[in-house]
């Protein structure tokens, strides 16, 4: 029987980027349908933006990210990055691809890679259009679609659903009413998908 996992993530979350491919591999292995929900940190539920954390915790967060990036074979540029805009608008490209039944995972992957591995400013419409076009997607169409009502409505509804589901940080995976926060919890999600429910 096909399994459904709700996937809450943010383009602006390096942890979402680090864990994406590992999650997709697990989903493929267990015949999982992934339902994406894109938003930003849900402060109402206790989520904290990294910039608002004490410096000592930020330093540990950075070191831990680098360790996990090596494990997941991802390059991360966390320091000496140029001034970048808000990566959040890139979420609208992903939502548009999902609603149009296109490869939204591929769109997510190239945008996150550009932002986290190449420090490209995906907050700029022309930059993200060029990135997805170079990867073989219809960047012009996604750019047009980002202002459409169905895309905007899903963006707003995704945040409400994340809040109401108890999500506070990213990535979060929800399967069979069980929540797993963080890509480091993927082994527990995999056990659950294999029949070992906690």
């Amino acid at each position: 029987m096909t399994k459904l996992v709700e996937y809450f993530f943010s383009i602006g979350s390096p942890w979402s980027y680090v864990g994406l491919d590992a999650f997709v591999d697990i989903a493929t292995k267990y015949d999982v349908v992934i339902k994406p929900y894109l938003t930003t940190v849900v402060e109402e539920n206790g989520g904290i933006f990294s910039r608002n954390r004490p410096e000592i915790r930020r330093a540990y967060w950075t070191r831990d990210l680098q360790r996990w990036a090596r494990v997941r074979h991802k390059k991360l540029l966390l320091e000496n990055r140029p001034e970048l805009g808000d990566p959040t608008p890139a979420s609208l490209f992903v939502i548009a691809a999902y609603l149009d039944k296109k490869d939204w995972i591929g769109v997510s992957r190239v945008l996150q890679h550009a932002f986290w591995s190449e420090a490209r400013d995906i907050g700029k419409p022309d930059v993200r259009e060029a990135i997805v076009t170079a990867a073989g997607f219809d960047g012009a169409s996604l750019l047009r679609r980002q202002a459409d009502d169905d895309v905007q409505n899903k963006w707003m509804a995704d945040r409400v659903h994340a809040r109401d589901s108890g999500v506070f940080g990213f990535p979060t995976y929800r399967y069979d009413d069980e929540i797993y926060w963080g890509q480091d919890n993927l082994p527990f999600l995999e056990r659950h998908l294999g029949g070992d429910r906690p």
Side-chain angles (χ1 to χ4, degrees), residues 89-102 125 128-129 138-155:
S91 301
L92 302 176
F93 271 39
V94 178
I95 290 172
Y98 172 73
L99 291 176
D100 293 344
K101 297 182 173 27
K102 305 297 184 184
R128 59 180 179 271
E129 179 185 359
D138 188 346
S141 174
L142 293 174
L143 184 62
R144 286 193 303 270
R145 287 278 284 127
Q146 67 181 8
D148 290 346
D149 287 346
D150 60 337
V151 174
Q152 293 289 328
N153 289 341
K154 177 166 169 53
W155 169 247

Side-chain angles (χ1 to χ4, degrees), residues 86-140:
D86 183 3
T88 301
S91 301
L92 302 176
F93 271 39
V94 178
I95 290 172
Y98 172 73
L99 291 176
D100 293 344
K101 297 182 173 27
K102 305 297 184 184
D103 180 13
W104 65 268
I105 292 173
V107 173
S108 298
R109 183 180 288 118
V110 298
L111 288 171
Q112 287 178 310
H113 176 81
F115 189 74
W116 290 110
S117 292
E118 300 174 344
R120 295 179 67 185
D121 193 348
I122 61 174
K124 295 179 179 176
D126 58 325
V127 172
R128 59 180 179 271
E129 179 185 359
I131 289 166
V132 298
T133 298
F137 301 104
D138 188 346

Side-chain angles (χ1 to χ4, degrees), residues 24-35:
V24 171
D25 288 346
I26 290 171
T28 301
K29 178 179 177 181
Y30 290 92
D31 192 26
V32 166
V33 172
I34 303 172
K35 189 166 185 180

Side-chain angles (χ1 to χ4, degrees), residues 10-11 17 28 40-42 61 88 90 102 106 118 125-126 186 190:
S10 170
I11 299 293
Y17 172 53
T28 301
T40 57
V41 171
V42 187
W61 175 87
T88 301
K102 305 297 184 184
E118 300 174 344
D126 58 325
L186 282 171
E190 183 170 10

